[in-house]
Amino acid sequence: MNSAYHRRTRVPSIRDETAWFRLLHGRDMPSAEERRMILEAFDESDKYESAHEDEVVQEGGTVLTGDVLVDYHKFHFQPPSLTMIAALDTEDILRLIYLIRKWMQQPIFTQTTKDADQIGAIYPLHSQWLFALLARLDQRLSGDEIAYLRALARTCISLIVQFRSDCARNATIPEESSLVHESGAWIIISIVAGVWGQQDLWTEAEQRLSL
């Protein structure tokens, strides 16, 4: 059997935030100026609506994916793999959860558009990584370690609140279909509340969403 099969997958140092952002997103974090330009481009929805009218659209010979960040801003998203996740220990996983929690609150990842495929309380890439990391995480954690997960769940609640507010303000999607686009956030809350016994998060979510 090929010994390379058993070789530990090389991943960036968990302290190297820049390298991890690049691994997940295929590029460095945009500068503050570029983030501002991206948000302005989201607001100029005519450009993107015309690009998304068909299932497959070509511009300059390039097939567009329908994802604004990929098509126009050089993002190339890397989903998690079993080998990458297996290379992380508990401390690494909690640190990466912390980083993703920070990134997923960036406005470029929370901006809603009229294209339903791009709407969600959590950007799909981030929810994919969080599902994989939580699945790998030991169920027996200390109080300090569980605090990372509670912070993650509370961020998910905040993003659901923000998402509903944005959709109501922009009339982006019907209220009755909003749960579909909130599913990633709700699944993460469910995992933290259920697996690690943080049932009070349900009460907190109910209170936040009833305001």
Side-chain angles (χ1 to χ4, degrees), residues 20-27 29-30 67 69 75 77-80 85 96-111 120-134 152 155-156 159 183-185 187-188 191:
W20 273 103
F21 187 92
R22 189 182 301 121
L23 175 64
L24 268 66
H25 303 89
R27 57 157 294 169
M29 170 69 81
D67 187 313
L69 295 178
F75 282 82
F77 298 125
Q78 171 66 58
I85 299 299
L96 190 50
I97 285 174
Y98 164 79
L99 292 177
I100 295 174
R101 180 171 67 87
K102 181 169 71 169
W103 299 333
M104 72 189 199
Q105 297 177 76
Q106 282 285 339
I108 60 173
F109 296 121
T110 62
Q111 181 76 15
I122 298 180
Y123 209 80
L125 174 81
H126 297 148
S127 60
Q128 291 168 16
W129 271 89
L130 289 169
F131 296 158
L133 292 169
L134 291 171
L152 172 64
T155 297
C156 289
L159 290 174
S183 59
I187 290 171
I188 291 168
I191 292 171

Side-chain angles (χ1 to χ4, degrees), residues 3 11 24 42 64 67 77 106 122 176-177 187 197 207-208:
S3 61
V11 294
L24 268 66
F42 271 115
L64 301 183
D67 187 313
F77 298 125
Q106 282 285 339
I122 298 180
E176 59 270 17
S177 64
I187 290 171
Q207 292 172 344
R208 291 283 308 279

Side-chain angles (χ1 to χ4, degrees), residues 39-55:
L39 292 176
E40 288 179 353
F42 271 115
D43 291 336
E44 296 171 1
S45 59
D46 289 346
K47 172 183 178 182
Y48 299 113
E49 286 177 5
S50 63
H52 301 154
E53 286 176 355
D54 303 318
E55 290 185 5

